[in-house]
């Protein structure tokens, strides 16, 4: 099996302040030849981090750089290590080129359609590598310009997924690699904002709970070198429909969006003080 794509690996907008917002799971594009091998369910790309660009529509006004994936995570998962190693050993996870959905159903219509090692390598070279080259290049540019910088990895997920966690997930899941990817004082400030959202509007928040930050957070966060990385995994019920047609719900999103913006503003304030 071979792999080709006609779409660029990412969209990128360069900002003016010391923050890069990465959105590695918002892509929905699946090349037609690959889509033909998927199940009907998988062609709907249900495990997408839907509408995050819209939810973070304040990013440009705040001067952040924004890096956005174009391809579905079913093509290649940009938040997994390039060798496919598990980020959560002993727990159920999906891989670099997933073969099952979050509901533990097959991505491919037939076992004969699964990608082999050569195809996985081709997907990694065509999409994963360019995304990460751009991410690293922008961090390097920001570091040279500002000294102390931040990386915000933006994600969302269905609020109830028995495969990965029991019950309902907290709404605002902050991950800092269990404390390794950003300054503890910044993490504490962000958790305080999440808790204030709980008291003000009923949203729940947690730091380094079920989600402690994926590959991007862990790989690029280096607070000792002035690079502070944070992942936010939000429940989709906070801003959208969690089932088809996966619509954005403006009135619902209006409740949580100010709290997310406060977090981004707090990150900028933190790094710009340094």
């Amino acid at each position: 099996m071979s792999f080709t794509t006609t779409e660029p690996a990412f969209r990128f907008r360069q900002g003016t302040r010391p923050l890069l917002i990465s959105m590695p799971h918002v892509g929905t594009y699946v090349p037609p030849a690959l889509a033909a091998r998927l199940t009907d369910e998988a062609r709907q790309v249900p495990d997408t981090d839907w509408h995050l660009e819209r939810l973070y529509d304040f990013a440009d006004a705040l001067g952040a750089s924004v890096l956005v994936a174009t391809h579905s995570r079913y093509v290649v998962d940009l938040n997994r290590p390039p060798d496919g190693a598990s980020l959560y050993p002993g727990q159920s996870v999906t891989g670099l080129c997933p073969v099952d959905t979050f509901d533990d159903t097959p991505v491919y219509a037939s076992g004969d359609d699964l990608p082999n090692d050569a195809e996985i390598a081709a997907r990694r070279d065509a999409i994963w590598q360019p995304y990460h080259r751009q991410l690293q290049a922008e961090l390097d540019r920001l570091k040279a310009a500002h000294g102390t910088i931040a990386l915000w990895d933006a994600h969302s997920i269905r609020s109830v997924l028995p495969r990965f966690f029991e019950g309902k997930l907290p709404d605002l899941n902050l991950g800092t690699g269990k404390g390794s990817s950003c300054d503890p004082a910044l993490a504490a400030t962000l958790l305080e904002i999440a808790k204030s959202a709980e008291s003000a509007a009923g949203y729940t928040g947690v730091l380094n709970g079920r989600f402690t930050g994926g590959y991007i957070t862990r790989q690029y966060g280096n607070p000792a070198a002035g690079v502070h990385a944070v992942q936010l995994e939000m429940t989709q019920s906070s801003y959208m429909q969690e089932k088809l047609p996966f619509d954005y719900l403006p009135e619902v999103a209006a409740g949580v969006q100010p709290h997310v913006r406060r977090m981004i503003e707090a990150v900028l304030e933190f790094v710009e003080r340094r």
Side-chain angles (χ1 to χ4, degrees):
M1 297 175 184
S2 61
F3 174 79
T4 59
T5 181
T6 59
E7 296 297 312
F10 57 84
R11 298 188 300 274
F12 174 68
R13 304 191 300 277
Q14 188 175 97
T16 58
R17 296 175 74 187
L19 171 64
L20 172 61
I21 299 176
S22 163
M23 301 181 182
H25 290 154
V26 302
T28 58
Y29 182 71
V30 180
L34 175 56
R37 293 156 52 193
L38 305 187
T39 64
D40 291 341
E41 177 192 10
R43 289 191 195 103
Q44 302 293 328
V45 290
D47 298 329
T48 301
D49 292 9
W50 300 98
H51 308 300
L52 285 184
E53 277 190 281
R54 185 171 179 181
L55 187 72
Y56 283 82
D57 63 6
F58 53 81
D60 292 342
L62 291 181
S65 297
V66 181
L67 179 62
V68 180
T70 55
H71 288 66
S72 169
R73 69 192 302 157
Y74 291 163
V75 180
V76 64
D77 192 328
L78 300 171
N79 201 31
R80 296 293 183 272
D83 62 0
S86 176
L87 293 168
Y88 296 95
Q91 299 184 44
S92 182
V93 295
T94 53
L96 179 66
C97 293
V99 298
D100 44 23
T101 71
F102 287 176
D103 288 324
D104 211 12
T105 59
V107 167
Y108 293 87
S110 166
D112 295 333
D113 290 324
L114 270 60
N116 58 24
D117 289 344
E119 184 183 359
I120 291 172
R123 297 188 201 181
R124 184 171 56 232
D125 291 346
I127 302 166
W128 194 99
Q129 294 288 1
Y131 188 93
H132 283 266
R133 280 196 298 268
Q134 181 61 42
L135 196 160
Q136 183 66 69
E138 181 60 7
L139 290 180
D140 291 344
R141 185 192 74 83
L142 292 173
K143 189 78 170 65
H146 301 283
T148 301
I149 65 172
L151 169 62
W152 185 270
D153 210 40
H155 295 264
S156 70
I157 194 169
R158 278 177 283 162
S159 59
V160 178
L161 275 172
R163 175 179 177 180
F164 300 131
F165 47 83
E166 295 181 1
K168 183 180 182 296
L169 191 69
D171 297 304
L172 302 168
N173 299 268
L174 294 158
T176 64
K178 297 183 179 179
S180 66
S181 69
C182 85
D183 189 291
L186 175 57
T189 296
L190 296 171
L191 182 59
E192 182 179 349
I193 294 171
K195 293 299 185 181
S196 71
E198 183 171 348
S199 60
Y203 301 108
T204 51
V206 66
L207 174 64
N208 292 318
R210 172 60 179 86
F211 297 98
T212 62
Y215 176 79
I216 289 172
T217 305
R218 303 182 201 184
Q219 175 68 16
Y220 296 101
N222 185 352
V227 182
H228 301 271
V230 179
Q231 176 180 291
L232 177 62
E233 185 84 64
M234 292 182 55
T235 55
Q236 292 178 341
S237 60
S238 300
Y239 71 96
M240 61 167 279
Q241 289 180 334
E242 293 194 334
K243 296 181 179 180
L244 281 168
F246 303 119
D247 285 344
Y248 189 82
L249 301 175
E251 293 182 359
V252 177
V256 75
Q257 190 180 46
H259 302 289
V260 177
R261 179 168 180 152
R262 282 184 61 205
M263 290 184 183
I264 297 297
E265 291 172 338
V267 170
L268 280 166
E269 180 182 354
F270 181 89
V271 294
E272 288 179 337
R273 285 203 311 265
R274 284 154 175 76

